[in-house]
Amino acid sequence: MNRLIAPSAAAVAAIVIIGAAVAVARPEWLPSALHGQIGLAPESAPAEAGLFCKEHGVPEKFCTLCHEELKEKLLLCAEHGGIPEDICTLCHPEVKDGLKIVVCEEHGLPESFCAQCGRGPSASSDALDDGWCATHNKPESFCLECQLDPEAHLSPGAKVCLEPLPIVRLASAELSRQVGIETALATEVTHAHKLTFNAETAYDANHYAEIAPRVVGFLHDVRVDLGRVVKQGEVLAVVDSAEVSSAKAQLITARASLDLAQVTYERTKSLSQTGAIAVKSELEARTALNQAKASSLDAEQKLRNFGFDDERLSRIVEDQDTKSLLDVVAPLDGQVVMRHAVKGEPVQATDPIFAVTDTSTLWLWIDVYESDLAALKPGQPVTLTVSGGDDETFSGRLNWIGTEVNQQTRTTRVRAELENRGEKLRANQFGQAEIQLGDEHKAVVVPKLAVQRKDNVDVVFLPQEEGGVYRPQRVTTKPADKRDALEVTWGLKAGQRVVTKGAFLLKTEIMKGAIGAGCCE
């Protein structure tokens, strides 16, 4: 008996081994009842179909639901939800029977891949036209290339870097609430485009004067203090200087010499004309007169440099005044904002002892990034908010734009003139300057949170009437006058609702599900 059992067991083992080899090498030789049990394609499926995914009803090598990485390797059908082209039963009806694929009776697509039933990818490619020219990456209504040649983007070899964006379909409206999606209305407001920069106030140099005594000496008297409002020509201080008395004496001497030279010349000229003296004497007398005039002019100019006018010069000669006192006067109307003057202290000719300025206007120095310079021009309104203040603003206008860029900060200084309302501004205060670039206008504004960036284009998501469905809409935007909002210049109308919280999540869905994502070479 044992002799019979051993050969029988060996024969059974041999049959099993041969059967396994046949199943691998020629599965079509096996009975169809065994196909599903060993993971092979159903009966009539071609041998190249390979292993079959029983969970999703398609060949395993086309199942992108089990193998996400296959999306990068397979050709996907953009028209029908981004399913692999090889199992798209609408584009290729023959594969339904050839691969024994279970399809959705209502839509005719593989049942597990039917995006319209909600069992496929969350982002489908049944996108609507959002009015964006994908070829030239701009709104079609603004695309000059398409207006000149409507079929330019259809020509062979044209590069289309942006594909239509797919609609995002969540499983249900309840899922939208669970993931925290929120929406807001696009509103119409009146505003103007503005740029904000760091700024610093300074005295208006056109109405500012630093006052020095002009001579070496000692302060004989100080007549004003800080904060004093003075008029042009008002005496601020008196300096006692030997230079002043010396210059006065020089003027008196020069004038006397001039008078003598004038009389001598006239007498010599009359004698010369009668022949009583030689003509040479007349020439010598004229030379002496000219030298006396030069000396007198030199003496006058020294005193003019000290601030003496014609009337005071005449009084010096008439009164034989050689006093050493010099008045230091205000050259303009304004307020005394600096004083380095103490009675009796020595002073130098060029050392400022007072500063006077008109504080009703101030300059504002603004540091502007070089990338923003092209938008600026003189005359644009400027508003300053002082740092650490009570949010009170001061208004003015841009009156000068710098001609060079700082090599370290890459900024250019521009200047505005501000009205110092109520004398509340001080020089050297820091703040934020807003420069208004254009006139106020009506604009559609959305929260900045609603705007996402994809393929270098701004995108918002519009909730549809069908719950859990969101349509992406490309838009063009500009900064608004609020930091948490953006102006939509194209792509939206006031009253449309956009997704705010959760917009980034929807963006990740269209990036995952979009066909041909990324820019072409």
Side-chain angles (χ1 to χ4, degrees), residues 240-416:
D240 188 346
S241 173
E243 292 183 26
V244 177
S245 60
S246 176
K248 288 181 177 180
Q250 183 181 350
L251 176 63
I252 294 171
T253 302
R255 285 289 181 87
S257 299
L258 177 60
D259 291 342
L260 177 60
Q262 183 69 43
V263 172
T264 301
Y265 170 70
E266 291 177 356
R267 181 181 178 186
T268 304
K269 181 180 179 181
S270 62
L271 292 174
S272 174
Q273 290 176 349
T274 60
I277 61 175
V279 177
K280 177 181 178 182
S281 298
E282 180 186 352
L283 295 176
E284 290 175 349
R286 182 183 297 177
T287 300
L289 176 60
N290 290 336
Q291 290 176 347
K293 286 181 179 179
S295 298
S296 178
L297 291 174
D298 181 54
E300 286 181 12
Q301 190 59 49
K302 284 184 179 180
L303 290 172
R304 291 183 190 279
N305 292 342
F306 295 158
F308 290 88
D309 55 21
D310 291 339
E311 181 181 354
R312 295 178 68 188
L313 291 175
S314 298
R315 287 204 307 266
I316 290 172
V317 176
E318 293 174 2
D319 300 340
Q320 299 291 291
D321 177 17
T322 59
K323 293 178 182 179
S324 60
L325 300 181
L326 174 66
D327 292 340
V328 179
V329 300
L332 49 77
D333 296 346
Q335 182 181 153
V336 178
V337 295
M338 184 271 284
R339 170 188 168 180
H340 292 308
V342 178
K343 187 175 180 178
E345 73 172 351
V347 293
Q348 297 296 319
T350 57
D351 290 344
I353 56 175
F354 292 103
V356 175
T357 185
D358 180 1
T359 56
S360 63
T361 60
L362 289 180
W363 278 356
L364 183 67
W365 290 105
I366 308 169
D367 295 318
V368 176
Y369 301 113
E370 62 178 319
S371 57
D372 295 322
L373 285 173
L376 303 186
K377 59 183 179 181
Q380 290 174 328
V382 176
T383 303
L384 171 69
T385 303
V386 178
S387 299
D390 55 0
D391 294 333
E392 184 177 4
T393 60
F394 300 86
S395 301
R397 288 191 177 273
L398 207 64
N399 62 4
W400 183 77
I401 298 175
T403 58
E404 63 179 2
V405 175
N406 185 287
Q407 294 183 352
Q408 282 73 41
T409 63
R410 307 311 302 171
T411 60
T412 292
R413 301 206 92 186
V414 303
R415 189 185 70 197

Side-chain angles (χ1 to χ4, degrees), residues 15 30 98 125 164 203 254 258 306 329 385 460:
I15 292 172
L30 296 179
S125 293
Y203 289 125
L258 177 60
F306 295 158
V329 300
T385 303
V460 296

Side-chain angles (χ1 to χ4, degrees), residues 37-285:
Q37 298 179 20
I38 61 175
L40 297 180
E43 184 178 4
S44 300
E48 60 269 17
L51 296 177
F52 199 81
C53 177
K54 294 186 293 181
E55 181 181 0
H56 299 115
V58 297
E60 192 75 34
K61 63 181 180 180
F62 300 133
C63 186
T64 54
L65 299 179
C66 293
H67 308 285
E68 187 77 18
E69 68 279 2
L70 291 177
K71 291 183 178 181
E72 300 178 359
K73 302 177 181 179
L74 298 176
L75 177 64
L76 304 181
C77 179
E79 184 179 357
H80 300 115
I83 70 174
E85 188 74 32
D86 296 88
I87 58 172
C88 182
T89 50
L90 291 181
C91 293
H92 308 285
E94 69 278 4
V95 301
K96 173 183 175 182
D97 296 328
L99 298 178
K100 294 298 181 181
I101 296 176
V102 179
V103 299
C104 167
E105 294 182 0
E106 181 179 357
H107 304 110
L109 287 169
E111 191 173 56
S112 296
F113 289 77
C114 184
Q116 299 185 57
C117 289
R119 293 189 290 272
S122 59
S124 64
S125 293
D126 52 341
L128 300 177
D129 183 8
D130 61 358
W132 189 266
C133 174
T135 302
H136 303 110
N137 199 14
K138 65 181 71 173
E140 286 182 349
S141 57
F142 299 156
C143 184
L144 181 61
E145 294 90 339
C146 289
Q147 293 176 18
L148 295 175
D149 184 4
E151 297 184 358
H153 60 289
L154 302 177
S155 60
K159 295 183 178 181
V160 180
C161 298
L162 293 175
E163 295 292 338
L165 299 179
I167 292 176
V168 178
R169 299 178 182 276
L170 301 183
S172 65
E174 179 62 26
L175 180 59
S176 299
R177 290 188 288 270
Q178 291 176 358
V179 299
I181 290 180
E182 298 178 2
T183 63
L185 286 176
T187 57
E188 185 177 73
V189 299
T190 300
H191 83 131
H193 296 298
K194 298 178 181 179
L195 294 175
T196 302
F197 306 100
N198 295 326
E200 180 181 5
T201 58
Y203 289 125
D204 183 345
N206 292 327
H207 300 92
Y208 177 88
E210 290 185 343
I211 304 164
R214 302 187 182 187
V215 294
V216 176
F218 295 86
L219 282 175
H220 178 74
D221 190 15
V222 178
R223 299 185 181 180
V224 298
D225 198 0
L226 289 171
R228 170 78 175 273
V229 177
V230 297
K231 296 293 184 179
Q232 183 177 0
E234 184 175 342
V235 177
L236 308 180
V238 179
V239 178
D240 188 346
S241 173
E243 292 183 26
V244 177
S245 60
S246 176
K248 288 181 177 180
Q250 183 181 350
L251 176 63
I252 294 171
T253 302
R255 285 289 181 87
S257 299
L258 177 60
D259 291 342
L260 177 60
Q262 183 69 43
V263 172
T264 301
Y265 170 70
E266 291 177 356
R267 181 181 178 186
T268 304
K269 181 180 179 181
S270 62
L271 292 174
S272 174
Q273 290 176 349
T274 60
I277 61 175
V279 177
K280 177 181 178 182
S281 298
E282 180 186 352
L283 295 176
E284 290 175 349

